[in-house]
Every structure is written in structure tokens, then in C-alpha cells.
Amino acid sequence: MESPVFEEFDPAADCDCPGCAHWRRVLPHSAAGRFPGHPAARRTAAVVAALTTAAIIAPAVPAVAAPHARHPADPGVPAGDGPGTPQGKKAPLHGPGGQAAPPASPARAPLISRADIIERARSWVAQRVPYSVRSYWSDGYRQDCSGYVSMAWKLPGNEWTGSLGKYAERITKDELQPGDMLLFHNASDPHNGSHVVLFGGWTNSARTHYVAYEQTRPHTRRATTPYAYWSNSARYVPYRYLGVTDGTAGGGSGPATDAVPARTPFPGVAYFGPGAHNRYVAELGRMLVRRGAGSFFAAPPGPRWTDAHRRATRAFQEAQGWRGAAADGLPGPLTWELLVTGTGRNIPNGASASTLPGLPSGHSPSLPAGHSSGLPAGHSPGLPAGHSSGLPAGHSPGLPAGSPGGASGPSSHGVPGYPGRAPFRPGAVNDHVTRLGRQLVKKGFGRYYTTGPGPRWSEADRRNVEAFQRAQGWRGGAADGCPGPETWRRLFS
């Protein structure tokens, strides 16, 4: 009887199993086989070793060398130390059956508005388009990072990180607006780290985090991201598409402006909602009135958040064509951008609460598990762990910047003002922790308490908060056990 011959196969370059994902992060890419391979391959190798030993001990069985099958070099380009995102090369659009269309005229920048760029980016997020460097989606664009930006900008073909720059002009961090891109093209070694994402708007006034739209494994995603990216941050460069029809694009076919009026940057999602009382709420109300929302306010809008603010914001969002969770009445970066720039559609004349029905008081639509896939760049409840408030640690979103982090903002609609994240840090001792714990028990989420709840923040508090967040349908960083303003609002509603 002949000894069985086993072959060890390297995993595919885009294998998503935990083992392969881990080794791609911790080991450099190498053609010499330093990558230890898929766990199944290692198990196969162990079987080969055991049988080889048995063959040496067994009488005169001829040894057969096990061939080592290698996949051809992946034509993609690895991108970043975070999610692996190789990319394909420049290519035309592809039609049904993956057939390439005739090449388009080069360097033409079709006109498109910022709102349309974000709307196109959102469409892939909503469809959860799977990542691939070889496949093309039904709209003809390649399903990798550079193909995604090509699609959002409505370019005539599929570009790559080495050619996207010819459709854009370099700008500064302070000039970034939704629809711009952050590009890292490693010209000296394109096979090491090149990647590109779309900028969706700032999530805090300090401009340390922003909403990023990107095509990465396993599918298109929208996530709050540290500026400029998770890795190789210093090497990402902001660019503006030359064909954008609003903003300050210059040198392309889109109109340019000589001067841009001063605009208040988006302060963060935590500055709005029940309990909020700050100057940004007042500014939001004034902008909404100018866009046709005057009928929602019985008196001039002030700094305290009211249901009129929510209904007016929702009316403006629905006027943009957004529905469901994308029109929840809470302003985000894109909503704010449209308001401060005077772009987008106004609220139709005669719109009222009866024609634009609001949500029940205290209610907010649930999000898909782990992703806010249906939302525009204005809503980011699924944030990375530690950033669920949208503000630097210690800031109180219900109060003007600089107010004490531990002081509660005023109540609104029966919901006590959110005190900020500072009272819920490890080792914190205060009355807010006690109030939170009692409300968790009242809502049926006190299973991890063995005593109390009391004023000292503990692991039991965190686990109970996490259980409550998961009950809302949130996953990942949105269910990190740290109460943010939306968790607080739902808990006390």
C-alpha cells in the first residue's frame, strides 16, 4: 500500500478567516513563504509530517515528495496595515457579464455635486458590495478602493491610486468637505500600503475623527475614522475632485469661487438631541428656518433642543430624498454641510408635522447590526470603541464647549441631560453612575450587578450598558458598554 500524498495549499490572498487576517497584520508580505498560511494548511502540514515519520519507521515504502502548490502573485496592491485592500489596475467600465466597455476619453471630469457624490457612495454601503480586485459591480465599476472612488465621482473609467490625482487638486485638511478624498499612493513601492477613502464630514469640533466611506474587506463600509487613517496616517493627502459643482474646486470643469465665507464646522453628533443646550442648536434652528422650516417653530429657535428642532431637521432630510434611519431628525456632517453651504433642496412650502410625520417621542430607528449602512454621512452611531460620543473625552455634549464634563445638561422631554463621557470612566465615582445603574435595572438590564448599583463605575455597569446597546441592534464599537448620548436618550426615554 502506497503512502498517501498530501499537498499544502497557501490560502487565497483575500481569505477572511481570523487566522489569515491576523498574520497579514503582524507579518510583512513576502514571496519567500514567511506567511504561515491558513490554519487548515498548517493542520495538513502536521499530517504530512506525521505520515513521513511513519514512513521512515515502516519497512521500505518509497518516499514521495509532496509538491508545494503556490498561487500566482496577486495582481492587487496591499493597502494599509488595517483592513487589507489590494486594488486593481486602471481599467474601463465593465458591462453585463464582466465585458469591458470601450475606453472613455481621458482626463475628463464630469460635473457632480457633493450631495450626489455622497449619495452614490451610500448606495454601495447600503448594498454591502463585496470587496474584489477582479470583479465589477452592476454599474461597471471595480469593487476595490480606487474603483469605489471612481464610482462615487462618476468618472468615465476605473482609476487606481496612481491615476486618481489627475482628476483632483490637492487641498489642506482645513479645506476638506464631504465628497473629497484622502489618498495614500506609495509611488516608490505601490505594492506597499496604497489606499484611498472618501471624506464624509467631521464628527467632532476638534477635527480628530471623520466619517470615511471606503471599499475594503469584506464589503463597502462607512465608519468613524481617526484622521487621516488608522495606519500610515501622515502619508494620506486630501484632494478635491475637479468636477465638483459646489465648494471651492478650481482648475477643472466645475465652477470655482474666489472666496469662501466663514462656516461653522460640524461640532459632532453629540451636540444635538434631547438634553442638548448650546449655541450649535440655536444655529441649527436659524439655518433650518432659512431653508423653509419656520412653520415648525412657535417661537424663534433658541439654544435648547426641542421636538421642533427634530421635526424640522427631519423635514429637511426628507427634502433631500432620504428616508428611514437616514432621516431621523438628528443632524450629522452631511446635513450640517448642506445647511451651512446653502446647498441641497429646501423644505417644500406648506410642509408640516402632518405632511412629514415624526417619530414617536424618544424613539429613533434601529440600525443594522454593526453598520449604519443606510445612513448619509450625517449619522454615526456605529463608532469605534472609545469614540461613541463624537467628542474628545471629558467634553459634555449637552453643554457649550468648555463646560465642566461632569455637570448634567438641562432636561428635555423628560430625559435628564447627558453628562458626557467623563463620569463613566474606569474608577469614576459620582451620582451619574448611580442614576445610570438604577435606570438599567428599571429597564431590565441589571443582571451583572451582584450589589448596588452604586456611584462607582464598575465592570458590571459596563456589561449592563453593553447588553442594553446590543438590545438596540448595535454591534461592534457601537456596543462598547460606554454610554454615549444616544444610549442615554434611549435608556431614559
Side-chain angles (χ1 to χ4, degrees), residues 45-417:
V47 173
V48 172
L51 289 174
T52 303
T53 303
I56 294 174
I57 299 174
V61 177
V64 180
H68 187 78
R70 288 195 175 276
H71 293 281
D74 192 339
V77 182
D81 302 328
T85 53
Q87 59 173 323
K89 297 183 181 298
K90 182 176 177 179
L93 298 182
H94 281 56
Q99 297 299 315
S105 57
R108 186 174 65 87
L111 299 181
I112 189 171
S113 69
R114 294 189 182 281
D116 287 340
I117 291 174
I118 296 299
E119 188 67 25
R120 289 172 67 85
R122 287 178 52 220
S123 68
W124 275 30
V125 175
Q127 296 174 81
R128 299 165 72 90
V129 175
Y131 183 88
S132 174
V133 299
R134 300 179 180 90
S135 300
Y136 296 81
W137 198 238
S138 56
D139 53 16
Y141 290 96
R142 191 178 55 246
Q143 296 165 216
D144 61 7
C145 63
S146 46
Y148 180 53
V149 173
S150 300
M151 180 278 300
W153 284 358
K154 207 174 181 179
L155 297 183
N158 288 284
E159 302 299 324
W160 71 301
T161 56
S163 61
L164 277 170
K166 73 180 181 183
Y167 289 93
E169 64 174 350
R170 187 165 177 170
I171 58 175
T172 66
K173 175 184 176 181
D174 291 338
E175 294 175 309
L176 275 167
Q177 297 182 49
D180 297 336
M181 75 171 174
L182 287 162
L183 173 68
F184 168 33
H185 177 64
N186 191 355
S188 61
D189 183 7
H191 290 264
N192 184 20
S194 300
H195 189 44
V196 62
V197 302
L198 278 173
F199 179 82
W202 298 108
T203 62
N204 61 2
S205 58
R207 299 190 176 189
T208 59
H209 289 75
Y210 67 99
V211 173
Y213 289 86
E214 63 177 321
Q215 183 68 2
T216 185
R217 294 191 178 99
H219 50 68
T220 321
R221 74 176 183 182
R222 170 192 175 280
T224 296
T225 304
Y227 187 83
Y229 198 64
W230 303 98
S231 58
N232 293 313
S233 178
R235 306 184 71 179
Y236 278 78
V237 179
Y239 282 88
R240 173 158 300 151
Y241 176 49
L242 293 174
V244 71
T245 57
D246 52 344
T248 60
S253 53
T257 57
D258 295 328
V260 180
R263 300 166 182 164
T264 303
F266 180 62
V269 293
Y271 277 89
F272 307 98
H277 188 276
N278 56 72
R279 66 184 181 90
Y280 299 109
V281 174
E283 185 170 354
L284 172 72
R286 291 192 294 268
M287 291 190 295
L288 287 168
V289 168
R290 289 196 294 268
R291 303 303 294 273
S295 61
F296 291 91
F297 296 94
R304 176 171 295 181
W305 179 269
T306 66
D307 193 57
H309 289 85
R310 182 188 64 80
R311 295 173 64 212
T313 302
R314 186 179 184 210
F316 178 75
Q317 291 168 333
E318 290 189 338
Q320 313 313 308
W322 306 338
R323 294 295 181 268
D328 60 1
L330 294 174
L334 182 56
T335 300
W336 188 267
E337 179 70 19
L338 295 177
L339 287 170
V340 299
T341 59
T343 54
R345 303 181 185 92
N346 290 335
I347 299 171
N349 292 333
S352 65
S354 59
T355 58
L356 292 167
L359 298 172
S361 178
H363 177 77
S364 180
S366 297
L367 301 172
H371 294 274
S372 50
S373 60
L375 304 180
H379 307 78
S380 49
L383 304 180
H387 298 285
S388 55
S389 70
L391 294 174
H395 283 250
S396 174
L399 301 171
S403 297
S408 278
S411 298
S412 177
H413 304 286
V415 178

Side-chain angles (χ1 to χ4, degrees), residues 447-467:
R447 61 176 294 189
Y448 294 106
Y449 290 126
T450 55
T451 59
R456 182 178 296 276
W457 178 259
S458 66
E459 178 64 12
D461 293 296
R462 192 199 65 77
R463 295 180 70 186
N464 285 327
V465 172
E466 180 182 357

